[in-house]
């Protein structure tokens, strides 16, 4: 029985130490952020801008990989955005005007209220029946703040 008590005490001490380390790290981060200089803030904005550009570049690369795709941007609509956990999502609807089943690859941009690009994602909506519609969910790559809007940058039917 003493072995079990020793293990329990050791786990409790480890958890307590872990919580203390996490609390100290969080406090240090808070102090560091409240003391941001303009230079530090500019560096943070540059990092976000670079991440956004990388997401758009990755989206373009994924779209370029689609073979025999036909422009179908007019057949795809973005719904309103909402928050899902720490991400922003939007329901995307593809409507198939053809007489065959079709798959859609859709590039969705998330923009702020000023129209600035915040993030870009690509999603697939597969098996849309002739004359039918089907939805998928576009989910941001990272946490976005403020009012956001989803827009269709490009959609390919294949």
């Amino acid at each position: 029985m003493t072995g079990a008590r020793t293990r329990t005490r050791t786990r409790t001490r480890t958890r307590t130490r872990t919580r203390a380390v996490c609390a100290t790290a969080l406090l240090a981060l808070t102090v560091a952020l409240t003391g941001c200089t303009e230079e530090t803030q500019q560096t943070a904005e540059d990092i976000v801008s670079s991440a956004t550009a990388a997401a758009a570049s990755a989206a373009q690369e994924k779209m370029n990989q689609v073979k025999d795709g036909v422009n179908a941007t007019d057949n795809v609509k973005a719904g309103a955005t909402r928050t899902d956990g720490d991400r922003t999502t939007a329901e995307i609807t593809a409507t198939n005007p053809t007489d065959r089943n079709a798959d859609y690859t859709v590039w969705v941009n998330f923009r702020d209220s000023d129209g600035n690009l915040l993030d870009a994602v690509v999603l697939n909506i597969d098996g849309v029946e002739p004359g039918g519609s089907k939805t998928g969910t576009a989910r941001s790559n990272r946490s976005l703040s403020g009012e956001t809007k989803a827009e269709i940058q490009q959609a390919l039917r294949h």
Side-chain angles (χ1 to χ4, degrees):
M1 197 61 142
T2 52
R5 285 186 189 152
T6 302
R7 281 193 299 272
T8 302
R9 281 189 208 137
T10 302
R11 273 189 252 147
T12 302
R13 285 184 195 138
T14 302
R15 285 184 193 143
T16 303
R17 280 189 217 127
T18 302
R19 288 181 183 143
V21 169
C22 289
T24 303
L26 183 58
L27 179 61
L29 179 61
T30 302
V31 169
L33 290 177
T34 56
C36 282
T37 64
E38 283 185 33
E39 185 178 314
T40 304
Q41 185 174 351
Q42 183 60 49
T43 300
E45 288 172 6
D46 290 347
I47 290 169
V48 169
S49 177
S50 178
T52 302
S57 178
Q60 180 65 63
E61 191 172 311
K62 285 182 183 179
M63 297 303 288
N64 291 342
Q65 293 173 359
V66 176
K67 301 297 178 212
D68 301 322
V70 176
N71 182 4
T73 305
D74 291 341
N75 304 132
V76 180
K77 304 293 180 223
T81 59
R82 58 184 165 265
T83 303
D84 181 16
D86 65 340
R87 300 290 193 254
T88 299
T89 63
E91 189 172 277
I92 308 301
T93 303
T95 301
N96 182 1
T98 70
D99 58 357
R100 294 186 209 175
N101 274 4
D103 298 332
Y104 289 79
T105 300
V106 185
W107 174 353
V108 180
N109 286 332
F110 289 98
R111 295 191 180 272
D112 66 15
S113 58
D114 293 327
N116 298 310
L117 181 64
L118 301 174
D119 201 0
V121 298
V122 173
L123 83 134
N124 293 308
I125 302 175
D126 296 329
V128 182
E129 294 184 9
S133 296
K134 193 171 180 181
T135 61
T137 302
R139 183 175 171 84
S140 66
N141 294 303
R142 56 190 171 79
S143 181
L144 306 178
S145 61
E147 187 177 325
T148 59
K149 181 179 178 183
E151 70 175 20
I152 306 303
Q153 173 69 29
Q154 183 181 14
L156 298 173
R157 182 177 57 244
H158 48 98

